[in-house]
Structures are given as C-alpha cells and as structure tokens.
C-alpha cells in the first residue's frame, strides 16, 4: 500500500513548493482569510503559543508574530521550511499524525489547507495528536475543502498515485463532547477550477474550541 504521507515527505511536498514559490513570495497576508480569524482569537483570548500544520514557507507565522505570540510550524517540505530565515518562528519537518511537541503546549492549532491530502488511516491519529498538544480552553482552526454531506474523492492532478478528499473537515472534531463549533465560514472562488460546482465544492474555515 502506498501512503500519501510518505510520498509527500519524500518529494511531493517539495514539488508543491517549487510550483508555488513565486506565488507565495508575492502573497500579502494583510487580508488573509486565516489571519483575520486568528487575530480575532488572539485579541479576545489569552493565546500565547500557536502551531500551524501545513505551514509551507512559514510566512503566515512570520506575519502573526507581530501579535506577540510564539509561533511554531510543521510541514513535510524541506525546501519550503528552509526558505524562511525568520529566527523568531520555530519550524520543523513532519506531518500531523505525529506531532513533535509536548502535551498541552498550544493555545491554538491551525490546519492550513492540508487535511485533504492526508491518508484516511491517519485521520484518527491526527485528531488524537491535536488533542494531546492543545491545552484546555484552546482553539482549533481548520481551513480546507468543504463538501456538505458525505465525502468525495478525486485524483490529485500533480501525481497519479495521490487522491484528494473533500468533506466537512469540522466533523473530524465537532462530534466530540469537548469540542464546541464556534463558527464556519464558507468561501467560493469562482475563478478556480475546483469551484465550478460551487454548491458542492468550496473551501471553509472552521473555528472550534476545546473546552477542557
């Protein structure tokens, strides 16, 4: 069995960065969909330690550090991580199913458009690891594809060995009695080929709180 995680750790994550690095270099985070929600959480809560899973080049974290928070990131791409020279953020290579952090470390964990490519067999591990590294009264923010009911698989256009999965990713956590869904914001991007059937295919940002 071929695991998508291994393919990304070995090469595909670096390939993704090579394809997108010119776009990432020009990206402005002032109006970033994720940053807006994170800054609301920072302003309204005692948030000190933030982890971004799927942090890529880490530039979102570099932007967030101005809020006087400690920023940590994890990503499977060595090239993406090495492209960031900001010594005030802490980046590591890895994946969400095995987080290299101690228990109860983070006030906020962000999933930045990465769950749709994680192996089905790793989803329960990802949930468990997220619970392990988050404090009580912490927050979980997921930005990913949204598929209202059920799940949809399709080929990943850059690698025939990989599949994309579209679903309601808030459901990974919101079923749990310790998790409160605070808000969900859907986003439609008509210019993108993924959103042609926008009633079914869009992205969504879930904001959840871990109560204890």
């Amino acid at each position: 069995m071929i695991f998508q995680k291994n393919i990304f750790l070995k090469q595909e994550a670096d390939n993704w960065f090579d394809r997108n690095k010119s776009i990432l270099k020009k990206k402005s985070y002032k109006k970033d969909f994720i940053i807006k929600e994170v800054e609301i959480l920072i302003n309204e809560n005692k948030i000190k330690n933030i982890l971004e899973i799927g942090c890529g080049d880490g530039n979102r974290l570099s932007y967030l550090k101005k809020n006087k928070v400690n920023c940590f990131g994890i990503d499977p791409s060595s090239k993406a991580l090495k492209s960031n020279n900001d010594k005030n953020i802490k980046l590591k290579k890895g994946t969400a199913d095995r987080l290299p952090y101690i228990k109860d470390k983070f006030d906020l964990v962000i999933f930045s458009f990465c769950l749709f490519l994680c192996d089905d067999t790793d989803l329960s591990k990802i949930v468990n690891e997220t619970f392990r590294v988050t404090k009580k009264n912490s927050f979980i923010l997921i930005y990913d594809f949204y598929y209202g009911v059920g799940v949809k698989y399709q080929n990943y256009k850059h690698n025939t060995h990989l599949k994309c999965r579209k679903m309601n990713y808030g459901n990974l956590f919101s079923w749990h009695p310790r998790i409160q869904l605070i808000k969900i914001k859907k986003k439609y991007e008509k210019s993108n080929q993924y959103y042609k059937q926008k009633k079914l295919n869009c992205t969504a940002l879930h904001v959840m709180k871990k109560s204890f």
Side-chain angles (χ1 to χ4, degrees):
M1 183 176 181
I2 299 174
F3 290 100
Q4 301 201 159
K5 174 180 66 177
N6 296 336
I7 293 174
F8 270 87
L9 284 168
K10 185 176 181 180
Q11 186 176 21
E12 186 55 38
D14 284 340
N15 291 343
W16 180 93
F17 177 69
D18 286 337
R19 290 192 299 267
N20 292 279
K21 60 184 176 183
S22 60
I23 298 172
L24 293 170
K25 190 177 292 186
K26 298 175 184 176
K27 184 174 174 62
S28 171
Y29 287 96
K30 191 173 183 179
K31 297 181 180 180
D32 181 68
F33 198 53
I34 294 175
I35 289 228
K36 287 182 181 180
E37 294 300 324
V38 172
E39 290 187 330
I40 290 171
L41 292 174
I42 291 172
N43 291 332
E44 296 179 352
N45 303 275
K46 295 180 180 180
I47 289 178
K48 294 182 179 179
N49 296 324
I50 294 175
L51 170 64
E52 182 179 15
I53 298 173
C55 67
D57 59 12
N59 284 338
R60 180 178 286 109
L61 293 171
S62 292
Y63 184 93
L64 281 171
K65 72 179 182 183
K66 68 182 179 64
N67 294 282
K68 297 181 180 180
V69 291
N70 302 314
C71 294
F72 300 78
I74 188 168
D75 196 272
S77 171
S78 299
K79 287 186 177 181
L81 298 174
K82 289 177 182 177
S83 72
N84 192 307
N85 297 314
D86 187 347
K87 294 182 180 180
N88 293 311
I89 64 173
K90 300 175 177 64
L91 306 179
K92 292 184 178 183
K93 182 174 180 176
T95 53
D97 60 296
R98 194 173 181 180
L99 297 173
Y101 306 102
I102 62 172
K103 182 180 178 181
D104 302 330
K105 182 175 180 64
F106 298 105
D107 304 289
L108 170 63
V109 170
I110 305 164
F111 288 91
S112 296
F113 213 69
C114 57
L115 287 171
F116 77 103
L117 286 165
C118 294
D119 292 290
D120 286 350
T121 53
D122 281 340
L123 293 181
S124 61
K125 298 175 187 176
I126 290 169
V127 173
N128 289 335
E129 280 291 88
T130 305
F131 270 79
R132 182 181 66 80
V133 301
T134 47
K135 302 175 183 178
K136 67 177 182 179
N137 297 318
S138 59
F139 295 87
I140 300 165
L141 190 153
I142 298 173
Y143 180 58
D144 216 304
F145 282 117
Y146 179 84
Y147 195 79
V149 178
V151 61
K152 178 182 179 182
Y153 293 89
Q154 64 186 57
N155 291 329
Y156 182 59
K157 66 178 181 178
H158 301 292
N159 188 316
T160 58
H161 295 294
L162 302 174
K163 294 281 186 182
C164 301
R165 179 186 54 252
K166 298 181 180 181
M167 58 176 282
N168 180 344
Y169 282 96
N171 289 341
L172 285 179
F173 294 91
S174 61
W175 62 270
H176 199 283
R178 294 174 66 183
I179 295 294
Q180 173 191 1
L181 177 63
I182 296 174
K183 70 172 75 171
I184 176 171
K185 294 178 68 175
K186 298 176 186 177
K187 183 179 180 183
Y188 299 101
E189 298 180 21
K190 295 179 182 178
S191 61
N192 192 305
Q193 63 173 337
Y194 287 117
Y195 305 93
K196 288 181 180 178
Q197 295 177 320
K198 70 176 187 178
K199 290 184 179 179
L200 295 177
N201 297 312
C202 64
T203 57
L205 187 145
H206 294 79
V207 182
M208 294 166 284
K209 184 175 183 179
K210 176 184 169 186
S211 58
F212 58 91

